[in-house]
Amino acid sequence: MDMDSPERKDNNKYYINNITGANGAEIRKKLDSDRAAAPKSFEEIIKVLGGFGWFQVLVIILYLTLEAVTAFAIFIPIFVARTPVDWLCDNRTMNSKEICGCNGTIKATTDDSIVAEWNLICDQRWITDFITSIQMLGLIFGSIIGSQIADWYGRKIGFLLSVLLLALGTASSAVAPNAYVYALCRFVCGAGIQSFINVTGAGVMEFMPPKFRSLANCIGPLGEGLMILAVIAKYVTPWRTLYWVTTAPYALIFIIYPFLPESPRWLLQQNKIEETHKVLTFVARCNGKKPLDISVLHAIAKKTNHVPAPDSKEKQPGYLTFITDPKHRTTSLFVMAIWFSWSLTYYGISFNIRNIEGDIYFNVFLSGLANALGQRVTLLTNDSLGRRMSLFSSMTFGAIFMVVVAVCFYTMEHLGDIVLIMCLLSLFGMSATRSTSKLLTGESFPTNLRAMSFGLSGISITLGGILAPLMASLGTDYPAVPFIILAVVSCAGSLVSFLIKETKGQNLDRKKSVAPGSMVIDVGDIVEEETNADKQTT
Protein backbone atom coordinates (compact mmCIF):
# COMPACT_ATOMS: atom_id res chain seq x y z
CA MET A 1 0.00 0.00 0.00
CA ASP A 2 1.24 3.46 -0.90
CA MET A 3 2.46 5.33 2.19
CA ASP A 4 0.66 8.49 1.03
CA SER A 5 -2.59 6.81 -0.02
CA PRO A 6 -5.79 7.81 1.85
CA GLU A 7 -6.21 4.23 3.14
CA ARG A 8 -2.73 4.16 4.64
CA LYS A 9 -3.20 7.63 6.15
CA ASP A 10 -6.45 6.49 7.79
CA ASN A 11 -4.72 3.39 9.19
CA ASN A 12 -1.86 5.50 10.50
CA LYS A 13 -4.31 7.89 12.16
CA TYR A 14 -6.19 4.95 13.73
CA TYR A 15 -2.94 3.44 14.96
CA ILE A 16 -1.65 6.69 16.47
CA ASN A 17 -4.94 7.52 18.18
CA ASN A 18 -5.17 4.05 19.75
CA ILE A 19 -1.58 3.30 20.66
CA THR A 20 -0.96 2.99 24.39
CA GLY A 21 1.98 3.33 26.70
CA ALA A 22 4.77 5.86 27.01
CA ASN A 23 5.70 5.72 23.32
CA GLY A 24 2.11 6.41 22.28
CA ALA A 25 1.85 9.38 24.61
CA GLU A 26 5.15 10.74 23.31
CA ILE A 27 4.06 10.32 19.69
CA ARG A 28 0.74 12.04 20.33
CA LYS A 29 2.52 14.85 22.18
CA LYS A 30 4.89 15.39 19.25
CA LEU A 31 2.00 15.39 16.79
CA ASP A 32 0.15 17.93 18.91
CA SER A 33 3.27 20.09 18.98
CA ASP A 34 3.77 19.84 15.21
CA ARG A 35 0.12 20.64 14.56
CA ALA A 36 0.25 23.67 16.83
CA ALA A 37 3.49 24.92 15.23
CA ALA A 38 2.25 24.49 11.63
CA PRO A 39 1.30 27.79 9.93
CA LYS A 40 -2.45 28.45 10.02
CA SER A 41 -2.48 31.29 7.47
CA PHE A 42 -0.40 32.64 4.65
CA GLU A 43 0.88 35.43 6.89
CA GLU A 44 2.40 32.75 9.13
CA ILE A 45 3.87 30.97 6.11
CA ILE A 46 5.72 34.13 5.06
CA LYS A 47 7.03 34.47 8.61
CA VAL A 48 8.20 30.83 8.78
CA LEU A 49 9.98 31.19 5.43
CA GLY A 50 12.10 34.10 6.62
CA GLY A 51 9.77 37.11 6.55
CA PHE A 52 11.66 39.73 4.59
CA GLY A 53 14.69 37.99 3.09
CA TRP A 54 16.73 37.78 -0.10
CA PHE A 55 13.75 36.44 -2.02
CA GLN A 56 11.69 39.55 -1.19
CA VAL A 57 14.57 41.72 -2.38
CA LEU A 58 14.60 39.77 -5.66
CA VAL A 59 10.84 40.28 -6.09
CA ILE A 60 11.15 44.03 -5.57
CA ILE A 61 13.90 44.24 -8.20
CA LEU A 62 12.03 42.15 -10.76
CA TYR A 63 8.66 43.83 -10.34
CA LEU A 64 9.76 47.44 -9.85
CA THR A 65 12.81 47.94 -12.09
CA LEU A 66 10.61 48.97 -15.02
CA GLU A 67 8.75 51.50 -12.86
CA ALA A 68 11.50 53.97 -13.74
CA VAL A 69 10.71 53.41 -17.43
CA THR A 70 7.00 53.87 -16.68
CA ALA A 71 7.87 57.36 -15.46
CA PHE A 72 9.19 58.07 -18.96
CA ALA A 73 5.80 57.15 -20.43
CA ILE A 74 3.84 59.23 -17.92
CA PHE A 75 5.80 62.46 -18.12
CA ILE A 76 7.29 62.53 -21.61
CA PRO A 77 4.45 64.84 -22.81
CA ILE A 78 6.08 67.61 -20.74
CA PHE A 79 8.95 67.63 -23.23
CA VAL A 80 7.46 66.52 -26.53
CA ALA A 81 4.55 68.97 -26.22
CA ARG A 82 6.73 72.06 -25.67
CA THR A 83 5.93 75.23 -27.57
CA PRO A 84 8.99 76.67 -29.36
CA VAL A 85 9.88 80.25 -28.48
CA ASP A 86 10.66 81.37 -32.05
CA TRP A 87 8.48 80.92 -35.14
CA LEU A 88 8.66 82.01 -38.79
CA CYS A 89 5.91 84.00 -40.47
CA ASP A 90 6.81 84.02 -44.18
CA ASN A 91 10.50 83.81 -43.20
CA ARG A 92 10.07 86.60 -40.65
CA THR A 93 10.94 85.59 -37.06
CA MET A 94 8.30 86.04 -34.38
CA ASN A 95 7.90 84.79 -30.84
CA SER A 96 5.14 82.38 -29.78
CA LYS A 97 2.87 85.21 -28.59
CA GLU A 98 3.19 87.28 -31.76
CA ILE A 99 2.85 84.45 -34.26
CA CYS A 100 -0.94 84.19 -33.84
CA GLY A 101 -1.21 87.52 -35.64
CA CYS A 102 0.56 86.13 -38.72
CA ASN A 103 -1.49 86.16 -41.93
CA GLY A 104 1.05 84.13 -43.89
CA THR A 105 2.68 80.71 -43.65
CA ILE A 106 3.60 79.69 -40.11
CA LYS A 107 6.53 77.40 -39.44
CA ALA A 108 8.58 76.61 -36.33
CA THR A 109 12.32 77.22 -36.35
CA THR A 110 12.85 73.72 -34.90
CA ASP A 111 11.04 70.37 -35.13
CA ASP A 112 11.83 69.09 -31.64
CA SER A 113 8.21 68.81 -30.46
CA ILE A 114 4.78 67.80 -31.74
CA VAL A 115 3.73 71.45 -31.42
CA ALA A 116 6.47 72.50 -33.82
CA GLU A 117 5.92 69.68 -36.33
CA TRP A 118 2.13 69.93 -36.50
CA ASN A 119 1.74 73.69 -35.77
CA LEU A 120 -0.38 73.13 -32.66
CA ILE A 121 -0.55 76.80 -31.68
CA CYS A 122 -3.06 79.66 -31.57
CA ASP A 123 -6.55 78.24 -32.24
CA GLN A 124 -5.12 74.69 -32.14
CA ARG A 125 -3.24 75.15 -28.87
CA TRP A 126 -5.83 73.12 -26.99
CA ILE A 127 -4.93 69.95 -28.91
CA THR A 128 -1.71 69.30 -26.96
CA ASP A 129 -3.48 69.28 -23.61
CA PHE A 130 -6.34 67.29 -25.12
CA ILE A 131 -3.87 64.62 -26.28
CA THR A 132 -2.51 64.37 -22.76
CA SER A 133 -6.09 63.96 -21.51
CA ILE A 134 -6.54 61.13 -24.05
CA GLN A 135 -3.46 59.48 -22.56
CA MET A 136 -4.98 59.78 -19.10
CA LEU A 137 -8.26 58.39 -20.47
CA GLY A 138 -6.30 55.27 -21.39
CA LEU A 139 -5.71 54.80 -17.68
CA ILE A 140 -9.31 53.69 -17.19
CA PHE A 141 -8.91 50.92 -19.79
CA GLY A 142 -5.71 49.70 -18.15
CA SER A 143 -7.28 49.90 -14.71
CA ILE A 144 -10.32 47.82 -15.56
CA ILE A 145 -8.99 45.28 -18.06
CA GLY A 146 -5.41 44.89 -16.83
CA SER A 147 -6.40 44.54 -13.18
CA GLN A 148 -9.14 42.00 -13.89
CA ILE A 149 -6.73 39.91 -15.96
CA ALA A 150 -4.27 39.98 -13.04
CA ASP A 151 -6.94 38.75 -10.62
CA TRP A 152 -8.30 36.11 -13.01
CA TYR A 153 -5.15 34.83 -14.71
CA GLY A 154 -2.32 35.81 -12.38
CA ARG A 155 0.05 38.65 -11.61
CA LYS A 156 2.67 37.47 -14.12
CA ILE A 157 0.26 37.64 -17.06
CA GLY A 158 -0.98 41.04 -15.90
CA PHE A 159 2.60 42.29 -15.60
CA LEU A 160 3.51 41.07 -19.10
CA LEU A 161 0.40 42.64 -20.61
CA SER A 162 1.10 46.03 -19.04
CA VAL A 163 4.73 46.11 -20.24
CA LEU A 164 3.69 45.12 -23.77
CA LEU A 165 1.10 47.92 -23.84
CA LEU A 166 3.70 50.41 -22.63
CA ALA A 167 6.25 49.31 -25.23
CA LEU A 168 3.66 49.33 -28.02
CA GLY A 169 2.28 52.74 -27.08
CA THR A 170 5.70 54.36 -26.74
CA ALA A 171 7.15 52.89 -29.95
CA SER A 172 4.08 53.72 -32.04
CA SER A 173 4.16 57.31 -30.73
CA ALA A 174 7.57 57.68 -32.32
CA VAL A 175 6.21 56.99 -35.80
CA ALA A 176 2.81 58.71 -35.53
CA PRO A 177 2.17 60.63 -38.79
CA ASN A 178 -0.29 63.12 -37.32
CA ALA A 179 -1.89 64.30 -34.09
CA TYR A 180 -4.85 61.91 -34.41
CA VAL A 181 -2.75 58.75 -34.62
CA TYR A 182 -0.46 60.14 -31.96
CA ALA A 183 -3.45 60.57 -29.58
CA LEU A 184 -4.41 56.91 -30.12
CA CYS A 185 -0.84 55.83 -29.34
CA ARG A 186 -0.92 57.82 -26.11
CA PHE A 187 -4.20 56.10 -25.19
CA VAL A 188 -2.49 52.71 -25.49
CA CYS A 189 0.41 53.98 -23.43
CA GLY A 190 -1.96 55.25 -20.74
CA ALA A 191 -3.58 51.81 -20.53
CA GLY A 192 -0.17 50.25 -19.95
CA ILE A 193 0.78 52.83 -17.32
CA GLN A 194 -2.17 52.18 -15.03
CA SER A 195 -2.15 48.43 -15.59
CA PHE A 196 1.53 48.36 -14.58
CA ILE A 197 0.92 50.42 -11.44
CA ASN A 198 -1.99 48.23 -10.36
CA VAL A 199 -0.37 44.86 -11.03
CA THR A 200 2.95 45.69 -9.40
CA GLY A 201 1.17 47.24 -6.40
CA ALA A 202 -0.69 43.98 -5.77
CA GLY A 203 2.10 41.63 -6.83
CA VAL A 204 4.89 42.98 -4.63
CA MET A 205 2.64 43.44 -1.59
CA GLU A 206 1.58 39.78 -1.63
CA PHE A 207 5.12 38.56 -1.02
CA MET A 208 5.69 40.81 1.97
CA PRO A 209 5.13 40.28 5.70
CA PRO A 210 2.92 42.96 7.32
CA LYS A 211 5.85 44.97 8.65
CA PHE A 212 7.35 45.40 5.17
CA ARG A 213 4.24 46.05 3.07
CA SER A 214 4.92 49.76 3.28
CA LEU A 215 8.34 49.13 1.71
CA ALA A 216 6.70 47.56 -1.33
CA ASN A 217 4.85 50.81 -2.08
CA CYS A 218 7.65 53.24 -1.16
CA ILE A 219 10.70 51.82 -2.87
CA GLY A 220 9.58 52.07 -6.52
CA PRO A 221 11.91 54.27 -8.64
CA LEU A 222 9.22 56.47 -10.22
CA GLY A 223 10.91 59.66 -8.99
CA GLU A 224 14.31 58.46 -10.13
CA GLY A 225 12.81 57.66 -13.54
CA LEU A 226 11.56 61.23 -13.85
CA MET A 227 15.01 62.54 -12.98
CA ILE A 228 16.58 60.30 -15.64
CA LEU A 229 14.00 61.44 -18.20
CA ALA A 230 14.91 65.08 -17.58
CA VAL A 231 18.58 64.31 -18.27
CA ILE A 232 17.81 62.29 -21.42
CA ALA A 233 15.45 64.97 -22.78
CA LYS A 234 18.12 67.61 -22.23
CA TYR A 235 20.46 65.93 -24.72
CA VAL A 236 18.01 64.10 -27.01
CA THR A 237 15.93 66.94 -28.40
CA PRO A 238 14.19 65.50 -31.51
CA TRP A 239 10.92 64.26 -30.09
CA ARG A 240 10.73 61.11 -32.21
CA THR A 241 14.25 60.10 -31.20
CA LEU A 242 13.35 60.72 -27.56
CA TYR A 243 10.50 58.25 -27.90
CA TRP A 244 12.79 55.59 -29.40
CA VAL A 245 15.34 56.06 -26.63
CA THR A 246 12.67 55.67 -23.93
CA THR A 247 11.28 52.56 -25.68
CA ALA A 248 14.56 50.64 -25.57
CA PRO A 249 14.53 49.77 -21.81
CA TYR A 250 11.35 47.71 -22.23
CA ALA A 251 13.60 45.03 -23.75
CA LEU A 252 14.44 44.16 -20.13
CA ILE A 253 11.16 42.22 -20.02
CA PHE A 254 12.95 39.36 -21.81
CA ILE A 255 15.31 39.10 -18.83
CA ILE A 256 12.81 39.81 -16.08
CA TYR A 257 9.83 37.68 -17.07
CA PRO A 258 11.46 34.20 -16.97
CA PHE A 259 12.58 34.82 -13.38
CA LEU A 260 9.43 36.59 -12.17
CA PRO A 261 7.59 34.38 -9.63
CA GLU A 262 3.82 34.14 -9.58
CA SER A 263 2.17 35.34 -6.39
CA PRO A 264 1.80 32.30 -4.09
CA ARG A 265 -1.14 34.01 -2.38
CA TRP A 266 -2.94 34.15 -5.72
CA LEU A 267 -1.97 30.55 -6.58
CA LEU A 268 -3.22 29.28 -3.23
CA GLN A 269 -6.44 31.24 -3.57
CA GLN A 270 -6.91 29.50 -6.95
CA ASN A 271 -6.29 26.09 -5.29
CA LYS A 272 -3.14 25.54 -7.35
CA ILE A 273 -1.43 23.77 -4.48
CA GLU A 274 1.44 22.16 -6.40
CA GLU A 275 2.42 25.43 -8.06
CA THR A 276 2.15 27.27 -4.74
CA HIS A 277 4.44 24.70 -3.14
CA LYS A 278 7.06 25.11 -5.90
CA VAL A 279 7.14 28.90 -5.44
CA LEU A 280 7.34 28.64 -1.65
CA THR A 281 10.11 26.02 -1.90
CA PHE A 282 12.10 28.52 -3.96
CA VAL A 283 11.32 31.20 -1.36
CA ALA A 284 12.66 28.94 1.39
CA ARG A 285 15.82 28.16 -0.58
CA CYS A 286 16.52 31.85 -1.26
CA ASN A 287 15.94 32.81 2.37
CA GLY A 288 17.89 29.86 3.79
CA LYS A 289 14.89 28.24 5.47
CA LYS A 290 13.47 24.72 5.59
CA PRO A 291 10.92 24.07 2.82
CA LEU A 292 7.28 23.91 3.85
CA ASP A 293 5.41 20.60 3.81
CA ILE A 294 2.72 20.60 1.13
CA SER A 295 0.18 19.24 3.62
CA VAL A 296 0.22 22.65 5.32
CA LEU A 297 -0.93 24.28 2.07
CA HIS A 298 -3.67 21.69 1.62
CA ALA A 299 -4.92 22.43 5.14
CA ILE A 300 -4.91 26.22 4.66
CA ALA A 301 -6.56 25.95 1.23
CA LYS A 302 -9.28 23.72 2.68
CA LYS A 303 -10.00 26.22 5.43
CA THR A 304 -9.83 29.42 3.44
CA ASN A 305 -10.77 28.81 -0.18
CA HIS A 306 -14.29 28.75 -1.51
CA VAL A 307 -14.29 26.16 -4.29
CA PRO A 308 -17.35 26.06 -6.60
CA ALA A 309 -18.82 22.67 -7.39
CA PRO A 310 -17.82 21.27 -10.83
CA ASP A 311 -21.35 21.76 -12.20
CA SER A 312 -21.80 25.17 -10.55
CA LYS A 313 -22.46 28.25 -12.70
CA GLU A 314 -20.70 30.43 -10.16
CA LYS A 315 -18.14 32.77 -11.71
CA GLN A 316 -15.09 34.48 -10.34
CA PRO A 317 -15.87 37.81 -8.67
CA GLY A 318 -15.73 40.90 -10.84
CA TYR A 319 -16.19 44.62 -10.42
CA LEU A 320 -19.88 44.10 -9.59
CA THR A 321 -18.75 42.66 -6.24
CA PHE A 322 -17.61 46.11 -5.13
CA ILE A 323 -21.20 47.29 -5.49
CA THR A 324 -23.20 44.25 -4.34
CA ASP A 325 -21.07 43.37 -1.31
CA PRO A 326 -21.99 45.86 1.46
CA LYS A 327 -18.62 45.34 3.19
CA HIS A 328 -16.76 46.55 0.11
CA ARG A 329 -19.19 49.15 -1.22
CA THR A 330 -18.49 51.92 1.30
CA THR A 331 -14.76 51.24 1.37
CA SER A 332 -14.65 51.40 -2.43
CA LEU A 333 -16.30 54.82 -2.51
CA PHE A 334 -13.92 56.24 0.09
CA VAL A 335 -10.87 54.79 -1.66
CA MET A 336 -12.00 56.23 -5.01
CA ALA A 337 -12.46 59.67 -3.44
CA ILE A 338 -8.94 59.58 -2.00
CA TRP A 339 -7.38 58.47 -5.30
CA PHE A 340 -9.20 61.18 -7.24
CA SER A 341 -7.96 63.84 -4.81
CA TRP A 342 -4.30 62.92 -4.97
CA SER A 343 -4.26 62.16 -8.72
CA LEU A 344 -5.77 65.50 -9.71
CA THR A 345 -3.39 67.31 -7.37
CA TYR A 346 -0.31 65.24 -8.23
CA TYR A 347 -0.71 65.36 -12.01
CA GLY A 348 -1.97 68.94 -11.88
CA ILE A 349 1.26 70.09 -10.26
CA SER A 350 3.45 67.85 -12.45
CA PHE A 351 2.01 69.06 -15.76
CA ASN A 352 1.89 72.67 -14.50
CA ILE A 353 5.69 72.62 -14.09
CA ARG A 354 5.93 73.81 -17.71
CA ASN A 355 4.27 77.12 -16.74
CA ILE A 356 6.86 77.88 -14.06
CA GLU A 357 9.78 80.14 -14.87
CA GLY A 358 13.23 78.63 -15.21
CA ASP A 359 14.90 75.81 -17.11
CA ILE A 360 12.30 73.11 -17.79
CA TYR A 361 14.85 70.28 -17.58
CA PHE A 362 16.10 71.40 -14.19
CA ASN A 363 12.56 71.93 -12.93
CA VAL A 364 11.48 68.45 -13.98
CA PHE A 365 14.64 66.96 -12.45
CA LEU A 366 13.78 68.63 -9.14
CA SER A 367 10.20 67.37 -9.36
CA GLY A 368 11.60 63.84 -9.75
CA LEU A 369 13.69 64.39 -6.64
CA ALA A 370 10.60 65.56 -4.74
CA ASN A 371 8.81 62.41 -5.93
CA ALA A 372 11.58 60.15 -4.71
CA LEU A 373 11.87 61.81 -1.30
CA GLY A 374 8.09 61.88 -0.84
CA GLN A 375 7.83 58.16 -1.48
CA ARG A 376 10.63 57.32 0.92
CA VAL A 377 9.32 59.40 3.82
CA THR A 378 6.26 57.16 4.03
CA LEU A 379 8.57 54.37 5.18
CA LEU A 380 8.61 56.25 8.48
CA THR A 381 5.04 57.53 8.65
CA ASN A 382 2.97 54.55 7.44
CA ASP A 383 3.90 52.36 10.37
CA SER A 384 4.51 54.99 13.03
CA LEU A 385 1.37 57.07 12.37
CA GLY A 386 -0.80 54.43 10.71
CA ARG A 387 -2.19 54.52 7.18
CA ARG A 388 -4.99 57.02 7.79
CA MET A 389 -2.99 59.61 9.72
CA SER A 390 -0.10 59.31 7.26
CA LEU A 391 -2.52 59.97 4.41
CA PHE A 392 -4.09 62.95 6.17
CA SER A 393 -0.70 64.46 7.03
CA SER A 394 0.78 64.20 3.53
CA MET A 395 -2.30 65.59 1.74
CA THR A 396 -2.62 68.47 4.20
CA PHE A 397 1.08 69.21 3.83
CA GLY A 398 0.71 69.46 0.06
CA ALA A 399 -2.41 71.64 0.30
CA ILE A 400 -0.72 74.19 2.55
CA PHE A 401 1.97 75.00 0.00
CA MET A 402 -0.52 75.17 -2.85
CA VAL A 403 -2.37 77.87 -0.93
CA VAL A 404 0.93 79.69 -0.42
CA VAL A 405 1.56 79.59 -4.19
CA ALA A 406 -1.85 81.05 -4.95
CA VAL A 407 -1.32 83.85 -2.42
CA CYS A 408 2.09 84.61 -3.92
CA PHE A 409 0.60 85.04 -7.40
CA TYR A 410 -1.88 87.59 -6.06
CA THR A 411 0.44 89.51 -3.72
CA MET A 412 3.93 89.40 -5.27
CA GLU A 413 5.06 90.98 -8.50
CA HIS A 414 8.42 89.23 -8.79
CA LEU A 415 8.10 85.61 -7.70
CA GLY A 416 11.54 84.32 -8.60
CA ASP A 417 12.02 80.73 -7.42
CA ILE A 418 9.35 80.87 -4.71
CA VAL A 419 6.66 79.26 -6.87
CA LEU A 420 8.99 76.44 -7.92
CA ILE A 421 9.95 75.70 -4.31
CA MET A 422 6.33 75.70 -3.14
CA CYS A 423 5.31 73.42 -6.03
CA LEU A 424 8.10 70.99 -5.20
CA LEU A 425 7.04 70.86 -1.56
CA SER A 426 3.43 70.20 -2.60
CA LEU A 427 4.63 67.48 -4.97
CA PHE A 428 6.60 65.98 -2.09
CA GLY A 429 3.39 65.69 -0.07
CA MET A 430 1.38 64.25 -2.97
CA SER A 431 4.07 61.66 -3.74
CA ALA A 432 3.86 60.48 -0.15
CA THR A 433 0.08 60.36 -0.50
CA ARG A 434 0.35 58.21 -3.63
CA SER A 435 2.43 55.58 -1.83
CA THR A 436 0.15 55.48 1.21
CA SER A 437 -2.98 55.29 -0.97
CA LYS A 438 -1.63 52.24 -2.77
CA LEU A 439 -0.81 50.56 0.52
CA LEU A 440 -4.18 51.37 2.09
CA THR A 441 -6.05 50.12 -0.98
CA GLY A 442 -4.14 46.85 -1.20
CA GLU A 443 -4.73 46.10 2.47
CA SER A 444 -8.45 46.96 2.36
CA PHE A 445 -9.48 44.15 -0.01
CA PRO A 446 -8.92 40.35 -0.17
CA THR A 447 -6.50 38.61 -2.55
CA ASN A 448 -9.04 37.75 -5.24
CA LEU A 449 -10.14 41.40 -5.45
CA ARG A 450 -6.84 43.14 -4.76
CA ALA A 451 -5.71 43.93 -8.30
CA MET A 452 -9.27 44.87 -9.27
CA SER A 453 -9.42 47.22 -6.27
CA PHE A 454 -6.49 49.07 -7.82
CA GLY A 455 -8.41 48.99 -11.11
CA LEU A 456 -11.44 50.54 -9.46
CA SER A 457 -9.24 53.22 -7.94
CA GLY A 458 -7.69 53.75 -11.35
CA ILE A 459 -11.05 55.06 -12.57
CA SER A 460 -10.62 57.91 -10.11
CA ILE A 461 -7.05 58.43 -11.30
CA THR A 462 -8.41 58.70 -14.83
CA LEU A 463 -10.87 61.41 -13.85
CA GLY A 464 -8.12 63.31 -12.05
CA GLY A 465 -5.65 62.71 -14.87
CA ILE A 466 -8.05 63.98 -17.53
CA LEU A 467 -8.67 67.19 -15.60
CA ALA A 468 -4.99 67.73 -14.70
CA PRO A 469 -3.82 68.93 -18.16
CA LEU A 470 -6.76 71.30 -18.20
CA MET A 471 -5.45 72.72 -14.92
CA ALA A 472 -2.14 73.32 -16.66
CA SER A 473 -3.91 75.00 -19.59
CA LEU A 474 -5.90 77.19 -17.18
CA GLY A 475 -2.66 78.11 -15.42
CA THR A 476 -1.28 79.61 -18.64
CA ASP A 477 -3.70 82.53 -18.40
CA TYR A 478 -4.70 82.42 -14.70
CA PRO A 479 -1.66 81.08 -12.82
CA ALA A 480 -3.16 81.22 -9.31
CA VAL A 481 -6.50 79.53 -10.03
CA PRO A 482 -5.25 75.93 -10.53
CA PHE A 483 -3.48 75.97 -7.18
CA ILE A 484 -6.59 77.17 -5.34
CA ILE A 485 -8.64 74.35 -6.91
CA LEU A 486 -5.99 71.74 -6.15
CA ALA A 487 -5.67 72.88 -2.53
CA VAL A 488 -9.43 72.53 -1.94
CA VAL A 489 -9.51 69.07 -3.53
CA SER A 490 -6.51 67.93 -1.49
CA CYS A 491 -8.05 69.10 1.80
CA ALA A 492 -11.29 67.28 0.99
CA GLY A 493 -9.39 64.06 0.26
CA SER A 494 -7.45 64.30 3.50
CA LEU A 495 -10.70 64.39 5.49
CA VAL A 496 -12.06 61.31 3.71
CA SER A 497 -9.08 59.32 4.98
CA PHE A 498 -10.62 59.29 8.46
CA LEU A 499 -13.76 57.57 7.14
CA ILE A 500 -11.91 54.45 5.99
CA LYS A 501 -10.83 51.60 8.26
CA GLU A 502 -7.24 51.53 9.53
CA THR A 503 -5.39 48.57 7.95
CA LYS A 504 -2.02 48.65 9.69
CA GLY A 505 -0.97 45.07 10.52
CA GLN A 506 -4.13 43.54 9.04
CA ASN A 507 -4.11 39.98 7.68
CA LEU A 508 -4.34 40.24 3.88
CA ASP A 509 -6.19 36.93 3.62
CA ARG A 510 -8.65 37.35 6.47
CA LYS A 511 -11.67 37.83 4.22
CA LYS A 512 -12.23 36.26 0.82
CA SER A 513 -14.97 37.48 -1.48
CA VAL A 514 -16.79 35.39 -4.03
CA ALA A 515 -19.07 36.22 -6.93
CA PRO A 516 -22.37 38.05 -6.28
CA GLY A 517 -25.01 35.71 -4.88
CA SER A 518 -22.50 33.34 -3.25
CA MET A 519 -21.62 33.20 0.39
CA VAL A 520 -18.73 35.24 1.76
CA ILE A 521 -16.38 33.29 4.01
CA ASP A 522 -14.76 34.74 7.06
CA VAL A 523 -11.46 32.92 7.04
CA GLY A 524 -10.48 33.92 10.53
CA ASP A 525 -13.54 32.31 12.09
CA ILE A 526 -13.13 29.10 10.10
CA VAL A 527 -9.49 28.71 11.09
CA GLU A 528 -10.32 29.24 14.74
CA GLU A 529 -13.25 26.79 14.69
CA GLU A 530 -11.32 24.03 12.92
CA THR A 531 -8.33 24.49 15.16
CA ASN A 532 -10.55 23.98 18.21
CA ALA A 533 -12.11 20.94 16.57
CA ASP A 534 -8.68 19.43 15.94
CA LYS A 535 -7.77 19.85 19.59
CA GLN A 536 -10.98 18.12 20.71
CA THR A 537 -10.38 15.21 18.28
CA THR A 538 -6.85 14.75 19.55
Side-chain angles (χ1 to χ4, degrees), residues 309-331:
D311 58 347
S312 173
K313 294 183 179 180
E314 180 181 316
K315 299 179 180 180
Q316 297 196 57
Y319 287 100
L320 188 61
T321 307
F322 292 101
I323 300 174
T324 58
D325 190 332
K327 290 190 299 298
H328 298 319
R329 187 186 305 127
T330 304
T331 302

Side-chain angles (χ1 to χ4, degrees), residues 193-329:
I193 290 168
Q194 195 57 47
S195 179
F196 182 91
I197 292 173
N198 294 352
V199 173
T200 55
V204 178
M205 181 184 296
E206 290 174 352
F207 285 97
M208 301 294 160
K211 186 178 179 181
F212 289 91
R213 283 183 207 144
S214 180
L215 179 66
N217 289 280
C218 304
I219 204 68
L222 188 72
E224 288 80 356
L226 185 53
M227 296 165 70
I228 294 171
L229 175 63
V231 175
I232 294 175
K234 174 75 173 178
Y235 297 101
V236 182
T237 54
W239 70 273
R240 294 185 186 274
T241 305
L242 181 60
Y243 266 118
W244 283 121
V245 170
T246 55
T247 301
Y250 290 115
L252 289 172
I253 189 64
F254 295 108
I255 300 174
I256 293 172
Y257 191 76
F259 298 98
L260 190 72
E262 182 57 87
S263 166
R265 284 186 196 270
W266 181 85
L267 289 170
L268 187 61
Q269 183 264 326
Q270 298 292 319
N271 285 292
K272 298 182 178 182
I273 310 299
E274 296 290 340
E275 295 178 46
T276 306
H277 187 251
K278 289 180 181 179
V279 174
L280 293 178
T281 299
F282 182 63
V283 174
R285 186 160 62 246
C286 289
N287 289 347
K289 299 294 180 180
K290 181 180 177 181
L292 199 69
D293 193 284
I294 196 171
S295 62
V296 174
L297 300 178
H298 280 288
I300 293 177
K302 181 181 177 182
K303 295 173 182 176
T304 61
N305 288 352
H306 172 70
V307 186
D311 58 347
S312 173
K313 294 183 179 180
E314 180 181 316
K315 299 179 180 180
Q316 297 196 57
Y319 287 100
L320 188 61
T321 307
F322 292 101
I323 300 174
T324 58
D325 190 332
K327 290 190 299 298
H328 298 319
R329 187 186 305 127

